[in-house]
Amino acid sequence: MTRWHVEAVLIDMDGTLLDTEKVYLEASIAALNALGYRDGVVELCHAMIGIPGPDNEHTLRNHFGDNFPLVEVNRLFAEKTIEILQAGMPLKRGVIALLDAIEAAGLPKAIVTSSSRSTAAEHLRLARIDHRFDAILTRDDVTRAKPHPDLYLLAANRLQARAQACIAIEDSNPGVAAAHAAGAITLMVPDIVPPTAETRERCSAVLPDLNAVVDLLRRHQAFSMVRPIP
């Protein structure tokens, strides 16, 4: 198996490390249903997975019209999200094993998320893994968020790595598009929405969970080529 030269690992947050996409999906549907929106809501909410909040707000206004009660929907969404997360911030399967393996290899790692900086900080804190990253890049750090490559390019630069020598781990179609456009070695662990045919072509592998990601990286000897500390 071909050896991958890896200088850094860039990881999406929601749906990849944190099992929050299901939370967001449930909260979004509940908020819209509470205000009488039902037809096509599930499909619409699925289509917004992996997309930054402001872009989703634009999508909702376009879909439901200018009189759409965005403020009230956002309030209900926030309330439902808090209610669900009171039980704790769920991690995806294999998160700790992945982070341990990256650290054992001496590779830098960064969060690359479409969430805001405040949301990312709070959710990583709740999950008790906020201290395990060398950098946290959010939609607040760029003008164009995913599916554009800007966040991934900035993350690679922040870690002093070449984008094409970075492993990018994503769960969504827009996230894969962003990582691939940046030139990263892109791996997908699908969450709620399955990969499209185009997404599969952009990925070096589509895997069932993060434990499988660790196994694949070991087979490609990605953890045996530790980048010297500058």
Side-chain angles (χ1 to χ4, degrees), residues 31 35 69-81:
L35 295 175
L70 182 60
V71 173
E72 182 65 6
V73 167
N74 282 340
R75 184 186 68 79
L76 292 171
F77 170 82
E79 287 181 355
K80 187 64 176 179
T81 299

Side-chain angles (χ1 to χ4, degrees), residues 3-216:
R3 173 178 286 187
W4 285 345
H5 177 77
V6 177
E7 297 177 357
V9 183
L10 312 177
I11 316 172
D12 173 59
M13 185 180 73
D14 293 308
T16 302
L17 291 178
L18 309 182
D19 201 5
T20 47
E21 293 294 11
K22 292 178 182 177
V23 174
Y24 293 152
L25 183 63
E26 180 181 345
S28 297
I29 294 171
L32 290 167
N33 287 172
L35 295 175
Y37 298 98
R38 296 185 179 277
D39 292 341
V41 162
V42 173
E43 295 78 10
L44 181 64
C45 290
H46 273 87
M48 295 191 295
I49 291 174
I51 302 296
D55 292 343
N56 285 334
E57 292 179 355
H58 182 69
T59 296
L60 289 168
R61 286 191 184 279
N62 282 344
H63 186 83
F64 293 112
D66 292 337
N67 293 325
F68 179 70
L70 182 60
V71 173
E72 182 65 6
V73 167
N74 282 340
R75 184 186 68 79
L76 292 171
F77 170 82
E79 287 181 355
K80 187 64 176 179
T81 299
I82 292 171
E83 175 188 329
I84 297 171
L85 291 179
Q86 283 179 344
M89 177 61 68
L91 293 176
K92 298 291 285 187
R93 182 181 177 187
V95 168
I96 302 304
L98 174 65
L99 298 181
D100 286 349
I102 296 169
E103 289 170 10
L107 291 169
K109 55 189 179 304
I111 288 287
V112 182
T113 178
S114 293
S115 291
S116 67
R117 178 161 296 280
S118 60
T119 295
E122 176 64 9
H123 286 187
L124 291 169
R125 183 190 66 80
L126 288 173
R128 299 182 180 180
I129 58 172
D130 52 318
H131 62 289
R132 302 199 65 171
F133 300 92
D134 300 284
I136 297 175
L137 284 301
T138 75
R139 72 172 188 234
D140 297 332
D141 295 305
V142 292
T143 302
R144 302 186 308 168
K146 301 173 187 178
H148 299 286
D150 305 36
L151 264 175
Y152 274 102
L153 293 171
L154 180 61
N157 181 265
R158 190 72 57 85
L159 297 184
Q160 300 179 35
R162 296 170 297 151
Q164 63 269 30
C166 289
I167 295 290
I169 307 172
E170 275 282 354
D171 74 291
S172 70
N173 293 299
V176 166
H180 179 266
I185 301 168
T186 306
L187 308 178
M188 185 182 191
V189 179
D191 185 28
I192 297 175
V193 180
T196 64
E198 185 177 20
T199 291
R200 286 187 177 276
E201 291 180 359
R202 289 168 169 165
C203 293
S204 295
V206 177
L207 300 159
D209 56 40
L210 296 176
N211 288 320
V213 170
V214 174
D215 292 341
L216 180 69

